[in-house]
Amino acid sequence: MHAFRKAVEARDTDAMAACLADDVVFTSPVAFAPYPGKPITAAILRGVMRVFENFRYEREIVDGQNLALVFRTEVDGKEIQGCDFLHLDENGLIDEFTVMVRPLSGAHALSEAMAKQFDRIKAEALEAFDS
């Protein structure tokens, strides 16, 4: 089991952030442009942990430096099925992080919930960047 999965299942956001490369690029299922860098990615992941309910990984698929972590969760009563697609750098840290979710009603619920988090996410990212 990958360290990131263990951190998520333990709801340990510090351990989750420790799995990220400084130059990680996060691609969201509900935003057009990717988010570059560890501070914003870690802040987004903390936001996600605040909005996901009953989160559970169902499967971990490994192919060399690529991992696919299939999950189920709920956001505002909408069930979501999704997958975290991770690429690991030469140090074993996540340098590419892409999330895909379905169905559309769940993606909409996720988008709305994360929009409410985004001011806090930006503030957390700026605080981490300034540290």
Side-chain angles (χ1 to χ4, degrees):
M1 183 181 308
H2 190 268
F4 181 78
R5 178 179 177 174
K6 289 179 186 176
V8 171
E9 289 176 342
R11 299 188 66 83
D12 184 342
T13 56
D14 291 335
M16 290 165 60
C19 294
L20 302 174
D22 289 339
D23 62 348
V24 64
V25 176
F26 180 84
T27 305
S28 166
V30 296
F32 177 74
Y35 297 95
K38 186 174 181 173
I40 189 68
T41 300
I44 290 169
L45 293 174
R46 287 190 297 273
V48 166
M49 295 301 284
R50 292 189 291 266
V51 302
F52 278 178
E53 304 157 7
N54 303 314
F55 181 89
R56 63 209 174 274
Y57 281 120
E58 296 183 324
R59 208 168 327 149
E60 181 172 329
I61 303 163
V62 180
D63 179 21
Q65 297 298 104
N66 299 293
L67 284 93
L69 301 173
V70 180
F71 65 85
R72 287 192 187 268
T73 191
E74 296 170 26
V75 174
D76 292 333
K78 301 283 184 188
E79 186 161 331
I80 295 173
Q81 181 182 31
C83 190
D84 294 334
F85 293 99
L86 311 177
H87 180 269
L88 307 178
D89 68 10
E90 63 278 353
N91 298 314
L93 298 174
I94 300 166
D95 61 1
E96 294 176 24
F97 193 128
T98 301
V99 181
M100 295 193 181
V101 298
R102 63 163 302 283
L104 186 57
S105 60
H108 284 302
L110 177 59
S111 179
E112 291 171 8
M114 290 303 290
K116 293 175 185 172
Q117 293 283 322
F118 220 75
D119 285 341
R120 181 174 176 183
I121 288 168
K122 287 190 291 188
E124 289 177 5
L126 285 173
E127 181 180 311
F129 187 74
D130 290 339
S131 304

